[in-house]
């Protein structure tokens, strides 16, 4: 059941028609969104990407055409020709842009019929994600999904417009690169013309954008595809897109200003949302001490406060040991939870332990006074001071943890977020930004008993800390910075190393021999010897930015054709096995994993 489009040219898109078009004959093409038979008339909602318009079939005008319209079903692809008319008095629909007019059907061509769909396009219902991904071509017809991809397009365009005005060059970097396994696992690509050798898909354009600075490009950006072979989750895909930026002759303040200008421009252009600049900043150590996270969500307060000095000298062994061992005692006020039952507190304690906490203590500011799980160790006046320092008010519950610093602040930070979700303190349309700065340059890998780079091994140390590189490397701070939006690391960057001697010092600190460093990064270090300028930059996640602007939790919602959490594309079936002939051409074989 299909007819040719021959002789018809679409004059308008469905969502474009307004009262100003009344009297014009139009040719529309799209999908049947809904069909309603009412009072001897057929009303058809015709949809394309621009929106919907109502088409009316009247049997008195053309009985044969009306009979043909009776065969239409949802998702049929049709062409309609007819005049635009004003809707009868009292029937206008203010909910849609085309609600003041109808199109009176004069011609109908069924360009393609459709089977009943496993996804209801007309109703924005919750659908199992497996079904959505399998039938992504239908899922993407849903207006809500199309709006997300339209928003993504607008974000990308705003990014390009901004950087063009700032005199940046958009330069593509290679997709087939050398494997440098220093971060996540690489996706490897065998070379047919070089048997036994492999390319890697880029985890980021990091080395190439530094080479571009050495090349004198001065200001570079790219909306770059990147690939990492790592475990997947809602905010992670094996292939993702980042806004990649690099500049020559800059310091951290220059990068902050440029990036702040970018996000302000994007939000104003796409959402008419004003971002107050400059953005606030937190040192890494402050972020951990106050929020228990290096990507703090600052839409709500509930900060941690050190209270060890108020509780020192008691008979409570847990707190005394924490203080004696150089640990911390942290308190956090939870609004309105003073009435939490014993069961509620036990559940919170169990939750805290799953996050790695040793235990949890409470102080409740009730109408009957202060009630606490540790009241037998402390006077009420002391517990009141703890609550006051935590910022608690009447009706609030104060939580306390004690122990080694990181074993307190990290679990406390996770519990903070869990409580904020329960109390609905995080609004998706409330955008709160913060820079996190002064990260450590190194972290200690306890499994491998060695230092490794906190960000990546091309990050500069702060000049005042360079002298500690060999003697006290864990005290060295990096000229690195993250931009955080609503508790999500939106972007990460740094001032880069641009001198060979300094790069070799850092490689040596993380246990990379001169021979290994030269084998993996020799081309970069050689480039540094030919006049490399000081440079720095950042990479921001386009997928994550669009998801946050759309108010969704998963970046799969804003990626046209994502993989599921197993790295599989349910629509195409990728990845798939390939033939022995294909493997032979590439001079490789497949080894089946051992059965466990």
């Amino acid at each position: 059941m299909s007819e040719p489009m021959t002789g018809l040219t679409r004059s308008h898109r469905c969502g474009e028609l307004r009262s100003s078009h009344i009297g014009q004959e139009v040719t529309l093409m799209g999908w049947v969104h809904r069909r309603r038979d009412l009072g001897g008339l057929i009303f058809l909602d015709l949809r394309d990407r621009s929106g919907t318009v109502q088409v009316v079939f009247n049997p008195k005008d053309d009985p044969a055409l009306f009979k043909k319209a009776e065969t239409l079903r949802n998702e049929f692809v049709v062409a309609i020709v007819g005049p635009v008319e004003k809707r009868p008095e009292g029937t206008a629909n203010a909910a849609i842009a085309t609600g003041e007019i109808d199109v009176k059907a004069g011609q109908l061509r069924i360009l393609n019929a459709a089977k009943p769909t496993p996804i209801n396009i007309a109703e924005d219902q919750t659908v199992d994600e497996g079904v959505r991904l399998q039938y992504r071509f239908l899922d993407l017809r849903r207006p809500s999904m199309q709006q997300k991809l339209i928003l993504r397009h607008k974000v990308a365009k705003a990014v390009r417009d901004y950087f063009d005005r700032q005199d940046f060059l958009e330069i593509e970097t290679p997709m087939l690169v050398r494997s440098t396994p220093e971060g996540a696992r690489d996706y490897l690509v065998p070379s047919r013309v070089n048997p036994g050798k492999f390319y890697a898909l880029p985890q980021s354009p990091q080395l190439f954008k530094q080479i571009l600075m050495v090349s004198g490009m001065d200001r570079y950006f790219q909306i770059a595809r990147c690939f990492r072979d790592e475990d997947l989750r809602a905010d992670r895909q094996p292939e993702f897109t980042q806004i990649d930026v690099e500049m020559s002759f800059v310091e951290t303040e220059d990068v902050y200003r440029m990036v702040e200008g970018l996000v302000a421009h994007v939000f104003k252009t796409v959402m008419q949302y004003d971002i107050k600049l400059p953005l606030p900043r937190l040192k890494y150590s402050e972020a951990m001490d106050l929020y228990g996270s290096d990507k703090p969500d600052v839409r709500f307060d509930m900060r941690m406060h050190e209270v060890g000095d108020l509780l020192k000298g008691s008979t409570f062994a847990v707190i005394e040991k924490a203080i004696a061992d150089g640990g911390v005692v942290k308190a956090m006020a939870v609004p309105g939870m003073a009435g939490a039952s014993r069961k509620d507190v036990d559940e919170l304690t169990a939750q805290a332990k799953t996050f790695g906490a040793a235990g949890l203590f409470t102080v409740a500011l009730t109408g009957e006074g202060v009630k606490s799980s540790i009241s037998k160790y402390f006077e009420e006046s002391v517990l009141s001071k703890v609550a006051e320092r935590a910022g608690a008010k009447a009706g609030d519950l104060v939580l306390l943890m004690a122990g080694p610093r990181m074993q307190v602040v990290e679990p406390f930070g996770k519990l903070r977020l869990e409580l904020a979700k329960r109390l609905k303190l995080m609004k998706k349309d409330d955008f709160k930004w913060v820079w996190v700065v002064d990260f450590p340059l190194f972290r200690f890998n306890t499994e491998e008993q060695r230092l490794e780079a906190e960000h990546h091994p091309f990050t500069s140390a702060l000049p005042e800390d360079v002298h500690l590189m060999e003697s006290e490397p864990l005290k060295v701070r990096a000229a690195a910075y993250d931009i955080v939006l609503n508790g999500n690391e939106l972007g990460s960057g740094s001032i880069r190393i641009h001198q060979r001697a300094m790069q070799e010092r850092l490689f040596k600190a993380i246990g990379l021999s001169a021979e290994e460093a030269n084998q993996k990064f020799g081309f970069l270090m050689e480039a540094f010897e030919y006049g490399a300028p000081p440079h720095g930059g950042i990479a921001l996640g386009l997928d994550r930015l669009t998801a946050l602007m759309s108010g969704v939790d998963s970046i799969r919602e804003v990626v046209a054709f994502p993989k599921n959490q197993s790295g599989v594309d349910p629509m195409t079936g990728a990845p798939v096995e390939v033939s022995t002939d294909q493997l032979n051409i590439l001079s490789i074989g497949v080894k089946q994993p051992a059965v466990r």
Side-chain angles (χ1 to χ4, degrees), residues 299-300 302 332 334-337 340-355 360 397 399 414-427:
R299 285 175 291 178
F300 58 99
M302 283 176 61
M332 180 176 73
V334 185
M337 279 195 66
S341 66
R342 176 63 181 269
K343 180 183 177 183
D344 293 333
V345 171
D346 288 345
E347 287 177 354
L348 277 180
T349 303
Q351 182 81 73
K353 288 181 178 179
T354 66
F355 294 145
L360 186 69
L397 179 69
L399 305 180
K414 293 175 182 177
L415 186 62
R416 172 181 181 268
L417 293 176
E418 181 64 29
L419 285 165
K421 290 177 186 176
R422 293 186 192 181
L423 299 173
K424 295 181 171 56
L425 301 180
M426 300 180 286
K427 298 178 181 178

Side-chain angles (χ1 to χ4, degrees), residues 13-23 26 28 44-45 52-56 83-88 91-93 96-104:
R13 295 194 298 170
C14 296
E16 294 174 347
L17 298 180
R18 301 291 186 272
S19 57
S20 59
H21 296 98
I22 291 173
V26 297
L28 307 175
L44 196 76
D45 290 342
T52 62
V53 66
Q54 182 169 273
V55 180
V56 182
V84 179
E85 297 184 335
K86 182 178 176 62
R87 287 197 184 188
T91 63
N93 182 359
I96 59 174
T98 60
E100 293 183 352
I101 56 93
D102 288 329
V103 174
K104 181 181 178 181

Side-chain angles (χ1 to χ4, degrees), residues 168-199:
F168 280 72
L169 299 178
E170 183 171 11
I171 304 174
E172 294 179 341
T173 52
M175 299 297 283
L176 297 175
V177 302
R178 181 190 182 98
S179 178
T180 55
E182 286 298 318
R185 290 178 295 273
D186 286 329
Y187 280 103
L188 299 177
V189 180
S191 171
R192 177 184 59 81
V193 295
N194 298 282
K197 295 186 178 180
F198 293 81
Y199 300 103

Side-chain angles (χ1 to χ4, degrees), residues 182-448:
E182 286 298 318
R185 290 178 295 273
D186 286 329
Y187 280 103
L188 299 177
V189 180
S191 171
R192 177 184 59 81
V193 295
N194 298 282
K197 295 186 178 180
F198 293 81
Y199 300 103
L201 298 179
Q203 295 189 30
S204 82
Q206 180 63 46
L207 300 180
F208 288 99
K209 67 182 182 181
Q210 290 192 250
I211 290 291
L212 286 170
M213 295 303 100
V214 179
S215 304
M217 294 298 104
D218 195 72
R219 290 185 168 195
Y220 142 93
F221 88 98
Q222 181 184 186
I223 297 181
R225 298 292 283 170
C226 305
F227 307 84
R228 292 179 187 170
D229 183 8
E230 54 190 354
D231 294 335
L232 306 183
R233 60 185 184 220
D235 61 349
R236 186 179 286 171
Q237 282 280 292
E239 50 186 319
F240 57 96
T241 306
Q242 68 185 35
I243 304 165
D244 207 45
V245 185
E246 200 77 7
M247 299 176 280
S248 293
F249 306 111
V250 293
E251 295 181 322
T252 54
E253 293 295 333
D254 302 299
V255 180
Y256 298 154
R257 282 193 295 271
M258 189 64 68
V259 175
E260 289 177 359
L262 169 67
V263 296
H265 172 76
V266 168
F267 270 73
K268 183 66 174 178
T269 302
V270 177
M271 299 181 68
Q272 293 302 304
Y273 185 97
D274 292 308
I275 297 175
K276 185 179 179 181
L277 300 180
L279 302 181
R281 300 177 194 175
L282 273 177
K283 293 181 180 180
Y284 167 81
S285 57
E286 294 173 331
M288 296 304 297
D289 281 332
L290 293 174
Y291 300 100
S293 172
D294 61 1
K295 47 181 185 295
D297 193 326
V298 295
R299 285 175 291 178
F300 58 99
D301 192 11
M302 283 176 61
R303 291 179 292 176
M304 293 181 283
H305 300 265
E306 175 58 41
V307 294
D309 59 309
L310 299 177
L311 300 174
K312 188 176 182 180
S314 73
T315 59
F316 191 32
V318 173
I319 288 179
E320 288 304 305
K321 184 176 189 317
I323 295 171
D325 292 345
V328 296
V329 184
K330 293 284 186 179
M332 180 176 73
V334 185
M337 279 195 66
S341 66
R342 176 63 181 269
K343 180 183 177 183
D344 293 333
V345 171
D346 288 345
E347 287 177 354
L348 277 180
T349 303
Q351 182 81 73
K353 288 181 178 179
T354 66
F355 294 145
L360 186 69
F361 315 109
T362 60
V363 177
L365 300 187
T366 71
E368 293 78 41
V370 176
K371 295 184 179 180
S372 174
S373 61
I374 52 175
S375 57
K376 66 179 179 180
Y377 299 105
F378 300 99
E379 297 289 338
E380 183 171 325
S381 60
V382 173
L383 296 177
S384 295
K385 289 180 181 178
V386 168
E388 182 181 359
R389 182 174 292 180
K393 304 183 296 295
D396 291 352
L397 179 69
V398 179
L399 305 180
L400 293 99
M401 289 188 194
R405 177 173 175 264
M406 295 307 288
Q407 291 177 28
V408 169
V409 297
E410 287 187 336
F412 225 158
K414 293 175 182 177
L415 186 62
R416 172 181 181 268
L417 293 176
E418 181 64 29
L419 285 165
K421 290 177 186 176
R422 293 186 192 181
L423 299 173
K424 295 181 171 56
L425 301 180
M426 300 180 286
K427 298 178 181 178
K428 291 185 177 181
D429 59 353
D430 182 19
F431 300 102
K432 290 294 172 63
W433 302 76
V434 64
W435 284 104
V436 178
V437 303
D438 289 0
F439 281 85
L441 186 63
F442 301 107
R443 61 170 171 254
F444 190 73
N445 186 323
T446 54
E447 290 184 8
E448 299 180 18

